[in-house]
Amino acid sequence: MMKFFSMIAMTVALAPCAALADVSLSGFGRFGMTYSEAKKQGGESSTFLQSRLRLEIDASVETDIGLKFGAKTWVQGDHNSPSWGFSPANFYVEYENWSLEIGNVLPAFDGALLLKQTRLGVHAVSVGGDPLGDFFILAYRGYGRLPDRTGVALNYGTRNFDVKLSVVDPDQIGSGTGGDLTREVSASVFYRLNDWEFSAATAQSGAGVRDNDLYFVGTRYKVNDDLRIGLNINDNGFAELGTSYALYGDYKFNRFTLGSYVAYNDGDWAEKVTDSSYGVALRYDLGPSVFLAASVQRDYERMTLADMGVRFDF
């Protein structure tokens, strides 16, 4: 770990020496207490400390014609992880409203706008509103059992319109680490019309699993500067996971924000005992980049998850 922080310090110290380069360090830290009824039933402690520190290192250079070439990597430490973990690199090229990513890309489905708006609490979790099926996500640590995974993503985005297409290959060199997995192809589109927002996405062969095709449609309306309401619909891939419908919203008053969702799922899997899930959270802003939050949620197995803690971005 000391070697890692020494490298970070050297990178920041040398950054001013590169006249045409831009090197930045950003990230967030969060910590708090979590209560999990599922862990209690599994014989583990139901209440525990949970924390995360994530750092993003971004280095880029711009050409004379306005092309920006860059690369990002992340390093993350979790309270329940024995060590720090570096992510594979994300390489990118940007020009005006276009961007191309190679390597550890943010897939189109994982990055679909509005997809994660039902997440609550300091740890940003949604047990009922998130998609239930598997799909590739941006890796903030290693690739795990898929060391030869790589992706390509093309994006065009403005303030009111965004469209993205990505392909993730779980085993680009055919080393066998991907097993029977295949490429995930995903696409997303977002459009804002005055106070309305619309988003849609699909992941074909999500997480590289054949016939695991996920679909998402979402919309959100800004009632006023303090109140927003939205509806997300997730087709979770395989038939047993069904389709989920989540109605959510958030309301700001002074430094507080009240967020909540209620979700319904028509699937039928072994552990499921109810068709409904819900969550509610309260957030208190201490400043532009620091907030306290607490949340309570119940999933489709009637298990309660609650958390309380603080997050700061830098």
Side-chain angles (χ1 to χ4, degrees):
M1 187 181 296
M2 290 300 298
K3 181 179 179 181
F4 161 70
F5 282 110
S6 298
M7 185 189 70
I8 295 297
M10 183 178 298
T11 300
V12 174
L14 293 177
C17 300
L20 300 178
D22 182 18
V23 181
S24 65
L25 177 66
S26 60
F28 71 83
R30 69 188 189 202
F31 61 89
M33 297 300 298
T34 296
Y35 169 80
S36 171
E37 189 177 0
K39 286 188 175 293
K40 180 179 180 180
Q41 294 208 355
E44 302 177 67
S45 175
S46 61
T47 306
F48 51 93
L49 176 67
Q50 191 174 2
S51 64
R52 170 171 293 172
L53 174 60
R54 179 184 296 165
L55 304 176
E56 177 187 300
I57 307 165
D58 188 341
S60 64
V61 62
E62 189 166 331
T63 69
D64 294 338
I65 62 172
L67 273 173
K68 182 178 181 181
F69 291 85
K72 299 178 186 178
T73 187
W74 292 265
V75 61
Q76 181 168 296
D78 293 283
H79 187 80
N80 59 350
S81 177
S83 63
W84 286 74
F86 271 99
S87 77
N90 169 296
F91 296 91
Y92 62 89
V93 183
E94 296 178 350
Y95 182 71
E96 295 183 346
N97 296 322
W98 291 91
S99 66
L100 174 69
E101 297 177 57
I102 299 173
N104 179 23
V105 306
L106 174 64
F109 191 85
D110 180 38
L113 297 171
L114 301 184
L115 180 72
K116 303 171 183 176
Q117 288 301 315
T118 62
R119 294 187 173 184
L120 301 175
V122 70
H123 299 298
V125 174
S126 178
V127 299
D130 268 1
L132 301 178
D134 292 330
F135 51 93
F136 283 126
I137 65 174
L138 178 67
Y140 292 107
R141 296 174 68 89
Y143 281 148
R145 64 182 183 86
L146 299 174
D148 298 317
R149 171 184 145 185
T150 194
V152 178
L154 180 64
N155 178 245
Y156 175 83
T158 65
R159 180 180 178 275
N160 294 318
F161 178 73
D162 187 276
V163 60
K164 188 170 189 175
L165 176 67
S166 67
V167 179
V168 178
D169 191 331
D171 184 9
Q172 64 163 334
I173 62 175
S175 64
T177 60
D180 293 329
L181 297 180
T182 187
R183 294 181 181 90
E184 175 193 281
V185 179
S186 62
S188 65
V189 62
F190 170 82
Y191 180 65
R192 179 185 287 111
L193 177 63
N194 298 323
D195 293 326
W196 281 102
E197 296 172 299
F198 305 91
S199 182
T202 181
Q204 300 294 298
S205 299
V209 180
R210 290 176 176 83
D211 301 322
N212 178 36
D213 301 333
L214 296 91
Y215 298 90
F216 161 75
V217 176
T219 183
R220 182 171 63 177
Y221 178 66
K222 181 180 177 182
V223 179
N224 53 48
D225 290 340
D226 301 318
L227 176 63
R228 299 179 300 181
I229 56 174
L231 174 66
N232 284 357
I233 303 174
N234 283 293
D235 182 330
N236 295 300
F238 293 117
E240 62 269 20
L241 296 178
T243 301
S244 302
Y245 307 83
L247 181 66
Y248 66 92
D250 57 79
Y251 176 68
K252 294 182 179 180
F253 51 102
N254 298 323
R255 289 179 175 264
F256 290 95
T257 301
L258 177 66
S260 64
Y261 74 84
V262 58
Y264 169 82
N265 174 272
D266 61 10
D268 184 17
W269 62 93
E271 297 80 10
K272 184 183 178 187
V273 296
T274 179
D275 292 334
S276 62
S277 172
Y278 56 81
V280 61
L282 186 64
R283 165 175 166 162
Y284 180 75
D285 291 319
L286 295 171
S289 304
V290 187
F291 66 85
L292 303 171
S295 70
V296 179
Q297 302 181 59
R298 192 195 73 172
D299 64 18
Y300 296 111
E301 300 175 28
R302 282 209 182 99
M303 297 292 180
T304 299
L305 178 71
D307 73 345
M308 178 175 62
V310 60
R311 169 172 169 150
F312 53 94
D313 299 322
F314 54 87

